[in-house]
Amino acid sequence: MRTRLLHRDRDLHDPPPAPPRAEELRRNLGVDRLLAVMAGGDDTLYRVAEAVLLGDVASAEDIRYRHDVLRDCLAHPEAVDDLRRIAADAVERERHNYFGLFTRATPDKVLYRSLDVLDMFVDAFAELRAACDRWRGGFTSAGFEAFFACVAAELDDEYLATVRAHLKELRFAKGELISMRLGAGAHGAGHVLRRPDRTGWRRLRGGAGGIDLDLDDPAAAEALTTLAGRGIRTAADAVAQAAEHVAAYFRTVADELGFYRAVMNLLAALDERGAAWCLPEPSTRGLVCHGIYHPVLALDTRETLVGNDIDAGDATVTMITGANHGGKTTLLRSLGTAQLMARCGMPVAARDYRGPIHPQVYTHFGGEERDGGDTAGRLEEELSRMSAIADVIRPGALLLCNESLASTNEREGAALAREIVETMRDCGITVVYVTHMYELARGLAAADDSRHTFLRAERLDSGDRTFRMLPGPPLPTSHGDDLFRRIFGTPTVR
């Protein structure tokens, strides 16, 4: 049985593990708020959305494949919820009532409890097939076509009837028929569970040498249970394994559809806010996007959103400078969140978005005072975090730096930061760096390297911030005097 709703050639049997330094990434980008909206209070949706958003990196082909599936989901939300409900209910009933392989139970208990699970799953299969037959006509994506075709081919009436017959037979209504031979010390050996048929039972009943046991005798009952267990152990293990395989299939269906339901929850929240979103187009060229914004900001504020337009060209280093409180860090978070969303096949918070897919995303946010605030200690802590990132980062990754290494004096910080930026760049890593260190930005600009591009937070002559980032060289001031006047007022000359 195949699901094929996230990948053309495989299923999401196990959600991808969290990448290194995932906690730092989710904290710096505000991912938890995004996940809460996607989950809508459903713990299972939260788990799936978290795993896919943080850990899954789809190919460009699979990203487009997921976009087509998502279009179907948006056109038929009732069908998605119905199919997911069937799978989730099956998983929940199995978990609450029959879950596990009963490793300490006797073989007969393992067998009969596993049969109960499979009986329940056969009913769920029938319900799933009926739902697929009911909804199939309105779907056009390759993913849903593959899913519906598999269910129709594998779960037809004849197959379900055959499975029910086998399950009934495995309950051994007339008892187990087991053969064995005498082994060393006259102990039984080579126990084989035989298929019960009338000929076998008749032959046993008509032969001599039968033994009558008093089942009120505990020792006799235990001996009989042990004997039967040796005969049915192999069958019990096989049936238990079959039950686990079927449970895994329903979990996969619930998880893959759950991912799309979580995406739909987020899009509904953005639509309610009037915020734009688009399906990103993977590209081998640099990032080009219009109206990009931070979705968490859209969810948490009713103020007018300001989107930004970016055309990075072939640059792999983007330096963002300009006025304090001008929206630089928000843009950095917007870029990081958009990359996470784009690479797992989600829409992104922008009017349009075309750019590369990075297999890794790391964040390094400086300026966090820890344990009291010794400057040398803060610098050491920042360098330690950067070293930890360097240990795991690979070519093709995206590194987002926010005021990194600003905890020391500007000359020293700029020298350290430039060495890190240029090393990362030369290793094939894309760097976006928000900084107030003029020496760092000026030095990179003076290199006149086509791999570098520069954005600057717009400031009007009045001192107001528009929260737009425009192409422009770095300036030696961050206009901190604007903030001074806003807080303390204009000084009066006496």
Side-chain angles (χ1 to χ4, degrees), residues 326-349:
K328 301 185 298 297
T329 300
T330 298
L331 175 60
L332 192 72
R333 291 191 171 108
S334 304
L335 294 171
T337 305
Q339 178 60 212
L340 293 181
M341 298 169 74
R343 69 182 192 172
C344 71
M346 290 177 59
V348 301

Side-chain angles (χ1 to χ4, degrees), residues 465-488:
R465 276 64 166 158
T466 66
F467 305 108
R468 297 174 62 224
M469 305 298 131
L470 303 177
L475 298 176
T477 177
S478 296
H479 300 284
D481 53 330
D482 293 339
L483 298 179
F484 180 89
R485 284 193 296 270
R486 191 179 71 190
I487 295 171
F488 294 100

Side-chain angles (χ1 to χ4, degrees), residues 2-82:
R2 303 176 303 277
T3 306
R4 300 294 194 269
L5 292 174
L6 289 180
H7 303 275
R8 288 181 180 272
D9 56 354
R10 60 188 172 90
D11 294 335
L12 186 72
H13 290 302
D14 296 303
R21 309 194 68 77
E23 286 302 318
E24 188 175 27
L25 178 68
R26 63 193 300 164
R27 181 179 67 250
N28 290 336
L29 298 185
V31 170
D32 287 350
R33 175 71 176 108
L34 209 63
L35 291 173
V37 174
M38 295 177 72
D42 186 321
D43 291 341
T44 301
L45 288 186
Y46 192 100
R47 172 183 59 80
V48 173
E50 176 185 38
V52 176
L53 181 64
L54 293 175
D56 192 34
V57 182
S59 66
E61 182 181 13
D62 277 339
I63 288 173
R64 299 184 183 99
Y65 183 81
R66 294 180 189 185
H67 290 171
D68 290 340
V69 173
L70 179 60
R71 290 186 184 97
D72 268 344
C73 292
L74 292 170
H76 307 283
E78 301 87 354
V80 173
D81 291 339
D82 188 29

Side-chain angles (χ1 to χ4, degrees), residues 21 33 37 97 111 119 184 207 219 227 284 300 334 344 418 438 456 479:
R21 309 194 68 77
R33 175 71 176 108
V37 174
N97 299 313
L111 175 63
D119 277 333
L227 182 64
T284 56
D300 287 343
S334 304
C344 71
R418 181 168 181 177
Y438 176 65
R456 194 172 69 222
H479 300 284

Side-chain angles (χ1 to χ4, degrees), residues 259-327:
F259 167 72
Y260 290 106
R261 168 36 70 191
V263 174
M264 292 160 67
N265 289 344
L266 176 61
L267 296 183
L270 293 177
D271 287 342
E272 190 275 332
R273 177 66 178 81
W277 54 268
C278 69
L279 294 174
E281 178 59 32
S283 170
T284 56
R285 301 293 302 274
L287 174 64
V288 178
C289 62
H290 296 91
I292 191 170
Y293 63 93
H294 191 20
V296 173
L297 191 62
L299 297 170
D300 287 343
T301 181
R302 293 294 170 180
E303 297 180 5
T304 302
L305 293 174
V306 177
N308 276 284
D309 300 342
I310 295 176
D311 186 348
D314 294 325
T316 56
V317 174
T318 299
M319 303 299 296
I320 305 176
T321 64
N324 282 301
H325 291 209

